[in-house]
Amino acid sequence: GAVVSQHPSWVICKSGTSVKIECRSLDFQATTMFWYRQFPKQSLMLMATSNEGSKATYEQGVEKDKFLINHASLTLSTLTVTSAHPEDSSFYICSARREGAGGNTIYFGEGSWLTVV
Amino acid sequence: GNSVTQMEGPVTLSEEAFLTINCTYTATGYPSLFWYVQYPGEGLQLLLKATKADDKGSNKGFEATYRKETTSFHLEKGSVQVSDSAVYFCALSISQGGKLIFGQGTELSVKP
């Protein structure tokens, strides 16, 4: 079964409103999670690294004031798209890093489709 | 910079056909290489990986060999099944931190 869950899977919002996407690690604690977005027929692009208890690290070109990331607990990171516009419509997917003695394992969520109308 | 290029899809095959999905990369340093698969309605799952040159990753009949000389990590399977229909992503990672750089994905459709 899934070890990382995203919610919602699909969301439609009106232009100018904000929408929040959750990413949860279900059976492990994740101090680090990652947020990606994917445009149709294109690669998944890393947006930011979400660090529990501290500020997210954004990739170059990603607006931190538009894509708010909060990693308030060891099992939950949220991505809020503020003042959404149609060009923000995309597939957003998170991953969580599970740390272990044998190394790190990355688990992905199911992804969230955002449509801004 | 670091990047991954995959062959474009969709790829449509008949059951039991041979599959190759090409993947080449550009990277500084010594990346680890991955293939992820995304079945309809599900998240990405790690299919296989290789961490150094000449390593072969394999899983579920799929395999890929890390070729440093050609900077490639092509995915192959000798006999595909309808259940292999999915989107396949090639990816690289420079560090152990978990950041991945993905190719654009290749959709595979296997017909009975």
Side-chain angles (χ1 to χ4, degrees), chain B residues 9-107:
Chain B
V11 173
T12 302
L13 296 173
S14 297
E15 209 165 18
E16 299 184 2
F18 184 85
L19 168 72
T20 301
I21 300 178
N22 289 338
C23 171
T24 57
Y25 68 90
T26 303
T28 54
Y30 303 96
S32 295
L33 302 174
F34 306 83
W35 277 100
Y36 281 85
V37 58
Q38 186 175 32
Y39 298 103
E42 300 183 19
L44 272 72
Q45 302 173 27
L46 178 64
L47 181 60
L48 53 85
K49 69 177 182 181
T51 57
K52 61 183 188 297
D54 299 325
D55 268 3
K56 178 186 285 189
S58 61
N59 185 25
K60 299 181 181 180
F62 291 89
E63 58 182 35
T65 302
Y66 189 143
R67 301 284 188 203
K68 188 178 178 184
E69 63 276 14
T70 54
T71 61
S72 66
F73 193 54
H74 304 321
L75 182 68
E76 297 181 336
K77 186 174 185 181
S79 176
V80 293
Q81 306 299 313
V82 173
S83 57
D84 294 326
S85 297
V87 180
Y88 292 82
F89 293 91
C90 185
L92 69 81
S93 175
I94 296 296
S95 70
Q96 293 287 323
K99 278 188 186 181
L100 291 163
I101 296 169
F102 285 90
Q104 71 269 39
T106 303
E107 182 180 0

Side-chain angles (χ1 to χ4, degrees), chain A residues 32-37 44-51 55-69 79 93 95, chain B residues 1-2 92 94-95 97-102:
Chain A
T32 303
M33 294 184 177
F34 303 90
W35 286 96
Y36 296 82
R37 71 183 293 186
L44 280 77
M45 301 297 295
L46 179 65
M47 299 174 66
T49 302
S50 174
N51 305 299
K55 291 182 180 180
T57 305
Y58 289 81
E59 296 299 302
Q60 191 172 14
V62 178
E63 299 175 62
K64 59 182 67 177
D65 293 331
K66 180 163 187 64
F67 299 100
L68 300 180
I69 291 171
L79 169 68
I93 192 165
S95 67
Chain B
N2 303 312
L92 69 81
I94 296 296
S95 70
K99 278 188 186 181
L100 291 163
I101 296 169
F102 285 90

Side-chain angles (χ1 to χ4, degrees), chain A residues 96-111:
Chain A
R97 186 175 76 201
R98 184 176 197 164
E99 297 171 0
N104 298 328
T105 304
I106 301 297
Y107 296 95
F108 281 84
E110 308 94 329

